[in-house]
Amino acid sequence: MITLQNVRKTYGGEVRIGPLNIEIPKAGITSLIGPNGAGKSTMLLMIGRLLKMDEGRIRVANMDIARSKSNDIAKILTILRQENHFITRLTVRQLVGFGRFPYSKGRLTKEDEAIISKYIDFFGLTDLEHRFLDELSGGQRQRAYVAMVLCQETEYVLLDEPLNNLDIARAVQMMEHLRRAADELGRTIVVVLHDINFAARYSDRICAMKNGQIAAFGTVDEIMRPDLLTDIFETRIEIIDGPYGKLAVY
Amino acid sequence: MSTHAMHEAEIGSPPPLAEPRPERNRLITVPFVLAVFAVIALGAVSLFTGVYDIWGREDGRDMFFITRVPRTIALMLTGAAMAMTGLIMHLVTRNKMVEPTTTGTTEWAGLGLLAAYLLVPGPTLVMRMTGAIVFSFVGTMIFFLFLRHVRLRSSLIVPITGMMLGAVVSAFSTFMTLRFNMSQVIENWFIGSFAPVQAGRYEHLWIIVAVTLITFLYANRLTIAGLGEDVATALGLHYHRLILLANALVAVCVGVVAAVIGNIPFLGLIVPNIVSMIRGDDLRSNLPWVCLTGMGTITLCDIVARVVIMPFEVPVSLILGTLGAAVFILILLRQRRSGRVR
């Protein structure tokens, strides 16, 4: 469980985020949605300790994020920011292997190697594992980074806009992978998504944010309501029943 | 095995564990052995290149151990140090054009030497070295902080900024030398040459072996630092401590070399780039290659420097500067073709 208590963050006196109070349950996929500047990424980065909060407390699996050792946190929680990675000339396998760092400190054991292979296969990167990252397409590279993060085998996985810069096919593929990681590997995944319909299709829960506050948090059916979404995005949004569940039309 | 098996049992039924297909970057490979032999051969050539007749003269044997052996050892250590420095800086700044010459680090080291002469009349080698190391550290830190704040990610602006910074420091050094009448110091430093190396004057270069070992121990951490602050933090590392460590390693290498030998330009640009093109950016598996290539390159350049106007010799920095400029342009053209220069 991820618990936020009265978490606040202020940027340059103008933008205020919080107080955020939320309990994100274990297992499944939780999506953070909301307009730009709503504080989705800020909240995610604070949970992932990439950004310091000004006030409040964040606990992940009963571990205080602000007080625990970084290496201990790295065994229960990991975070990946949206793709703006500098392109290093590492092979896919080397990159994914760094996911084992919190355990092996770089001395990969046989078990580590097996785990690395597992995640490379899981993300369909088997044929690419010895290719350098700068020889891959953006989508393949993104998959390699997500594979690295999952290879860390943490219970909690935070992803900031993992669908950024992916075309529809790659985006669907990525969400399918995440869905499988949640269902088959039992991970708790929190993602920032821009597309409400992706969130509705693949999440278990949605947290909608607006103006630095949590506007609503609930199951997909609870959030996919025309009045609520219209209010959050300040645009008329209708909900229709599609073949895979509820669809937002705007 | 047991912890992993337990973990799996907890989280349900994952896909079957694949066969381990380890990417063992085995160090002892045929090319590596060949490279080792090539460097040993170059070392041998270096030992027997010179005007003094070490076979014929009575004191030839002594001269061999007083000048030739120290010179060759100094070459090897310096080559490894400067190449490694370049590699670390490439990783940390995420820029292939960065090395001590293009970040102002070298100029700061020069200023550090000068400071030692100004503070203590007739400073010992250790004092000069300390001055150079401290100033390199400060200078590199300033450059890193600058990079951090302006968020320059364009690969060309970074070295240009560094060289400008270096030029400012160098101008200040020149002013001080003129003001205090010490142009000899800075001149000797500027034309890095192995000609004055002899027994009793180069031994501090052995510090480099220690730096290499530390770099090797921290190799994986430094490679992760090269993936950026976010990735490093997510993997449980302290990014800022790593940057400080990288900076310290660089400063010690540059400082020691500056005090003992002088300015050795562009080696950190040439060697790591060539290795990276072939082998990628993984520091741990590349370090032996980078050190070896650095040794070979500088020894070859020094042999050329000694032979080209025999019985005199030119400073090795001249040869390296020429070669470095050529490689610099080559990298630029390559990057432009692959569209990576923005």
Side-chain angles (χ1 to χ4, degrees):
Chain A
M1 185 152 59
I2 301 174
T3 318
L4 276 72
Q5 285 174 328
N6 285 317
V7 172
R8 282 172 212 263
K9 175 86 192 169
T10 313
Y11 287 112
E14 283 292 307
V15 188
R16 287 201 181 79
I17 306 240
L20 302 173
N21 286 292
I22 189 172
E23 282 189 2
I24 301 173
K26 218 180 129 168
I29 297 181
T30 302
S31 296
L32 308 181
I33 62 165
N36 285 344
K40 311 176 294 280
S41 291
T42 305
M43 176 162 128
L44 196 82
L45 295 182
M46 286 193 294
I47 300 172
R49 73 181 174 325
L50 294 186
L51 198 67
K52 277 216 170 73
M53 56 193 148
D54 295 334
E55 262 177 65
R57 216 154 91 134
I58 298 178
R59 298 173 73 82
V60 177
N62 275 327
M63 213 175 196
D64 191 321
I65 288 298
R67 298 222 181 102
S68 307
K69 276 172 66 183
S70 193
N71 192 59
D72 293 339
I73 299 174
K75 291 177 184 168
I76 60 151
L77 167 147
T78 187
I79 178 164
L80 183 68
R81 285 183 92 162
Q82 50 186 295
E83 219 220 7
N84 53 358
H85 317 294
F86 162 80
I87 303 171
T88 318
R89 263 175 82 78
L90 290 174
T91 64
V92 171
R93 199 179 171 88
Q94 283 169 338
L95 180 80
V96 177
F98 282 129
R100 301 308 300 161
F101 192 84
Y103 309 93
S104 65
K105 303 286 172 203
R107 295 220 152 269
L108 296 178
T109 61
K110 268 219 176 82
E111 288 129 74
D112 285 324
E113 297 285 1
I115 296 169
I116 295 165
S117 295
K118 175 174 116 183
Y119 287 97
I120 287 176
D121 297 348
F122 187 80
F123 279 91
L125 293 162
T126 316
D127 296 334
L128 302 170
E129 68 174 349
H130 295 300
R131 293 268 289 277
F132 286 118
L133 292 173
D134 59 354
E135 299 164 356
L136 304 183
S137 71
Q140 291 167 333
R141 204 151 47 228
Q142 179 77 339
R143 257 190 293 154
Y145 271 95
V146 176
M148 172 186 79
V149 173
L150 283 184
C151 191
Q152 220 174 313
E153 300 215 305
T154 55
E155 225 172 286
Y156 296 87
V157 179
L158 316 178
L159 304 168
D160 190 6
E161 299 194 28
L163 306 185
N164 227 18
N165 300 322
L166 298 186
D167 61 24
I168 295 177
R170 306 284 162 263
V172 168
Q173 193 185 37
M174 178 62 76
M175 289 313 292
E176 297 280 350
H177 280 310
L178 294 181
R179 193 64 250 178
R180 275 183 59 208
D183 294 342
E184 295 170 24
L185 309 177
R187 305 303 177 75
T188 306
I189 298 176
V190 183
V191 274
V192 172
L193 292 179
H194 257 299
D195 189 322
I196 317 170
N197 288 325
F198 264 115
R201 169 94 166 88
Y202 292 100
S203 317
D204 299 295
R205 288 167 297 272
I206 297 178
C207 169
M209 294 184 74
K210 191 187 178 184
N211 294 333
Q213 303 288 330
I214 292 166
F217 177 52
T219 60
V220 173
D221 285 341
E222 285 165 348
I223 303 298
M224 291 298 275
R225 293 200 334 249
D227 49 329
L228 195 130
L229 290 180
T230 300
D231 184 47
I232 285 168
F233 287 95
E234 293 174 355
T235 306
R236 251 193 65 151
I237 295 178
E238 301 289 346
I239 301 294
I240 58 170
D241 282 312
Y244 303 121
K246 293 197 164 159
L247 267 180
V249 181
Y250 39 84
Chain B
M1 201 67 200
S2 62
T3 54
H4 183 64
M6 265 171 54
H7 192 44
E8 274 186 350
E10 256 173 40
I11 56 178
S13 55
L17 263 190
E19 278 293 298
R21 311 179 292 268
E23 177 165 38
R24 275 277 157 259
N25 271 309
R26 278 189 20 236
L27 180 59
I28 314 293
T29 54
V30 175
F32 189 77
V33 172
L34 288 180
V36 169
F37 277 115
V39 170
I40 292 174
L42 276 171
V45 174
S46 163
L47 285 175
F48 297 104
T49 301
V51 178
Y52 199 86
D53 180 8
I54 51 168
W55 302 113
R57 299 281 194 101
E58 214 170 273
D59 57 354
R61 200 188 133 81
D62 292 338
M63 284 306 273
F64 184 75
F65 285 106
I66 291 170
T67 67
R68 296 284 176 80
V69 173
R71 181 172 191 152
T72 306
I73 293 175
L75 278 169
M76 296 291 174
L77 291 171
T78 308
M82 295 315 284
M84 183 172 71
T85 308
L87 181 66
I88 297 173
M89 292 187 89
H90 288 178
L91 271 181
V92 173
T93 61
R94 309 160 149 214
N95 189 308
K96 296 270 181 219
M97 302 280 192
V98 164
E99 69 114 31
T101 335
T102 58
T103 54
T105 307
T106 326
E107 283 77 7
W108 280 95
L111 187 63
L113 287 181
L114 201 64
Y117 278 98
L118 284 178
L119 291 174
V120 196
T124 61
L125 184 59
V126 175
M127 291 176 187
R128 278 180 276 153
M129 223 158 62
T130 312
I133 291 173
V134 170
F135 273 68
S136 306
F137 187 83
V138 172
T140 317
M141 210 65 230
I142 290 175
F143 183 78
F144 282 176
L145 284 177
F146 177 75
L147 267 191
R148 219 181 140 66
H149 283 287
V150 285
R151 298 240 162 236
L152 288 174
R153 283 289 172 252
S154 158
S155 53
L156 274 180
I157 307 276
V158 174
I160 290 172
T161 315
M163 283 189 244
M164 274 161 49
L165 203 69
V168 174
V169 176
S170 164
F172 182 70
S173 299
T174 312
F175 169 75
M176 296 298 272
T177 47
L178 292 175
R179 177 82 176 69
F180 294 98
N181 229 346
M182 293 196 309
S183 51
Q184 195 94 44
V185 177
I186 207 81
E187 209 138 280
N188 274 340
W189 166 77
F190 184 71
I191 42 170
S193 168
F194 287 85
V197 171
Q198 48 175 270
R201 284 210 200 152
Y202 79 99
E203 283 78 358
H204 288 92
L205 285 177
W206 286 107
I207 294 171
I208 288 158
V209 175
V211 178
T212 311
L213 285 178
I214 296 173
T215 309
F216 194 72
L217 282 178
Y218 280 88
N220 282 314
R221 288 174 176 79
L222 290 170
T223 309
I224 292 174
L227 293 171
E229 180 170 359
D230 301 335
V231 174
T233 309
L235 290 173
L237 291 172
H238 296 276
Y239 182 75
H240 295 279
R241 283 188 215 165
L242 277 174
I243 297 294
L244 273 180
L245 173 80
N247 195 348
L249 294 170
V250 167
V252 171
C253 282
V254 175
V256 171
V257 171
V260 179
I261 306 294
N263 179 16
I264 300 294
F266 291 123
L267 199 62
L269 184 79
I270 305 167
V271 174
N273 272 303
I274 292 172
V275 174
S276 163
M277 279 177 204
I278 301 165
R279 297 181 47 88
D281 286 334
D282 181 51
L283 181 62
R284 193 193 185 93
S285 54
N286 279 358
L287 192 62
W289 273 101
V290 165
C291 288
L292 207 62
T293 317
M295 291 172 181
T297 310
I298 199 171
T299 309
L300 188 68
C301 286
D302 191 59
I303 292 170
V304 172
R306 278 186 269 173
V307 170
V308 74
I309 52 164
M310 231 162 170
F312 307 103
E313 64 172 271
V314 295
V316 68
S317 56
L318 192 81
I319 311 284
L320 271 173
T322 317
L323 188 67
V327 173
F328 195 88
I329 293 169
L330 203 81
I331 299 163
L332 260 184
L333 292 176
R334 238 182 90 96
Q335 290 201 348
R336 167 170 264 162
R337 212 174 309 135
S338 60
R340 263 190 287 161
V341 172
R342 272 155 292 159

